[in-house]
Amino acid sequence: MNVLVVGGAGYIGSHCVKQLQAAGHHALVLDNLVYGHRAAVSNDTPFFQEDLGNRAAVSQLLVDQKIDIVMHFAAYAYVGESVTEPLKYYENNTGNTIQLLLAMQDAGVDKFVFSSTCATYGEPNTLPIVENLPQSPINPYGQTKLQVEAILKDLAHVGKISSAVFRYFNAAGASEDGCIGEHHSPETHLIPLAIDAATGRRAALKIFGTDYPTPDGTCLRDYVHVDDLSRAHIAVFDQLGKANTFVDYNLGTGRPTSVKEILTAVEKVTGFKVPAEDAPRREGDPPSLYADNTKARTELGWEPKYMDIESTIATAWKWHESNPEGYADQ
Ligand code: UFG
């Protein structure tokens, strides 16, 4: 398949490109490099620097490169910023996705894989989170992802574009060969921050909230390896061949891990103490989020390879050891 990976220079997108190539597909990357890193994409991967807002250029690219499937990873993903700058999120995450879908229609490309999030569920009443729980996001970031899901359902209904929606839990880790990994600027995610604190590159890690209704008082999340996420994107290809398809899958390990358990695992993997201090809760953090991944397992045959948190953190550590500053370009 010729697969255009939009946002392929970002964290999850770049790992998906590698997995697509390993599975024998022809992956091409489109990224505007606002948050992506050119160095996250190998030199032998066709790379196009373009904004999604440029519908005519994107449409031409889809035709010229004979694209079969578009995968869309290019969203802004800072939950806190989405609250303070909502229009930035609605403009890019919703508005530019509409431009991309229009470009696909113009070019006659009718298969789409979309990166959604467990944030579309807001604060669920029951755990683990199954796909058919009510979706009611508590921040604009989650709202933009849910809006796109609704658009995709409408497009599938009339047979215009078939799509697969993946709701990621907490993407974590790095490629096994240590070549690409997680580098956000600014960094807000727990595992890279904990590794930086362990190695003295940052001050003590703040534990946001120690009075949650969880076994150790800190938030529970479902940390799923980025390569496991990527493999699901390829496993869904067969389903996209059918018209009127809209399928959705929650992608997580199904295992909750607390913030404190992450710090212990980082210490074990790195051999360094993680300096940490208790801090107030971070606004908008639900106490517990973890997936019921039965649907992805049964329908896609998806089996997460990284089921224990230490093996996931070991890959993040490998990447960090050879790239302590992350990618050189930012
Ligand atoms: N945390 C800390 N200290 C830090 C950073 C994080 O205690 O310095 C805690 C958070 O409070 C949370 C956990 O670590 O309990 C994980 O936080 P992350 O920021 O790593 O990840 P989130 O769960 O907040 O966010 C992830 C994705 C988002 C997605 C969200 C859905 O990164 O894109 O899950 O809730 F929207």
Side-chain angles (χ1 to χ4, degrees):
M1 289 282 185
N2 291 333
V3 185
L4 184 67
V5 183
V6 178
Y11 172 42
I12 305 175
S14 60
H15 285 80
C16 204
V17 168
K18 264 178 86 98
Q19 294 292 326
L20 280 163
Q21 290 166 338
H25 296 290
H26 181 51
L28 307 88
V29 170
L30 184 147
D31 200 298
N32 65 5
L33 296 182
V34 168
Y35 285 115
H37 305 276
R38 183 65 186 84
V41 183
S42 67
N43 285 332
D44 55 359
T45 303
F47 182 87
F48 305 90
Q49 187 170 354
E50 189 60 75
D51 275 312
L52 285 183
N54 194 345
R55 171 177 165 186
V58 175
S59 171
Q60 194 60 50
L61 174 70
L62 294 171
V63 173
D64 291 347
Q65 301 298 324
K66 300 184 171 53
I67 298 298
D68 300 300
I69 298 180
V70 174
M71 293 187 176
H72 182 25
F73 298 88
Y76 297 151
Y78 292 111
V79 171
E81 184 187 54
S82 81
V83 176
T84 54
E85 297 288 343
L87 285 177
K88 176 174 175 179
Y89 281 70
Y90 288 106
E91 181 184 36
N92 185 55
N93 294 9
T94 309
N96 281 337
T97 302
I98 293 172
Q99 293 304 313
L100 174 60
L101 293 166
L102 285 166
M104 287 174 62
Q105 267 192 197
D106 295 344
V109 177
D110 62 359
K111 298 177 188 65
F112 191 63
V113 182
F114 180 60
S115 302
S116 190
T117 169
C118 62
T120 58
Y121 293 104
E123 295 191 15
N125 287 330
T126 56
L127 290 163
I129 302 176
V130 277
E131 283 78 0
N132 58 8
L133 282 188
Q135 288 173 280
S136 89
I138 56 168
N139 51 59
Y141 168 67
Q143 199 67 256
T144 61
K145 293 288 184 175
L146 188 56
Q147 287 175 333
V148 173
E149 288 193 20
I151 293 167
L152 296 177
K153 278 182 192 161
D154 291 344
L155 287 170
H157 181 68
V158 291
K160 286 193 185 290
I161 291 178
S162 285
S163 56
V165 163
F166 290 113
R167 299 190 194 102
Y168 308 146
F169 284 65
N170 289 57
S175 72
E176 217 149 48
D177 60 12
C179 287
I180 56 172
E182 186 168 15
H183 176 185
H184 299 105
S185 192
E187 188 55 80
T188 59
H189 295 92
L190 179 61
I191 293 173
L193 288 179
I195 288 176
D196 276 352
T199 53
R201 293 190 66 252
R202 287 181 199 262
L205 184 104
K206 289 185 163 51
I207 300 176
F208 295 141
T210 52
D211 59 350
Y212 282 101
T214 59
D216 68 14
T218 65
C219 287
L220 296 174
R221 292 288 182 275
D222 185 336
Y223 297 87
V224 54
H225 196 279
V226 63
D227 279 345
D228 282 332
L229 290 180
S230 301
R231 278 188 277 272
H233 292 63
I234 300 165
V236 85
F237 280 5
D238 285 350
Q239 302 202 37
L240 294 173
K242 293 170 232 138
N244 301 101
T245 294
F246 174 91
V247 286
D248 59 339
Y249 298 98
N250 288 350
L251 294 184
T253 62
R255 292 191 180 170
T257 306
S258 75
V259 174
K260 284 187 176 166
E261 286 170 333
I262 291 289
L263 302 193
T264 303
V266 168
E267 289 180 347
K268 200 157 169 204
V269 169
T270 64
F272 296 115
K273 181 103 191 103
V274 179
E277 59 192 42
D278 293 355
R281 291 181 178 196
R282 186 173 68 177
E283 204 186 333
D285 273 344
S288 297
L289 293 172
Y290 52 97
D292 182 328
N293 60 20
T294 311
K295 189 175 175 194
R297 281 179 186 273
T298 48
E299 291 187 13
L300 300 179
W302 181 69
E303 285 294 332
K305 185 174 148 196
Y306 295 85
M307 283 301 288
D308 73 293
I309 191 63
E310 282 171 26
S311 64
T312 294
I313 291 173
T315 63
W317 175 235
K318 183 172 181 181
W319 149 255
H320 179 91
E321 277 191 298
S322 44
N323 303 271
E325 308 288 335
Y327 294 108
D329 56 359
Q330 269 175 39

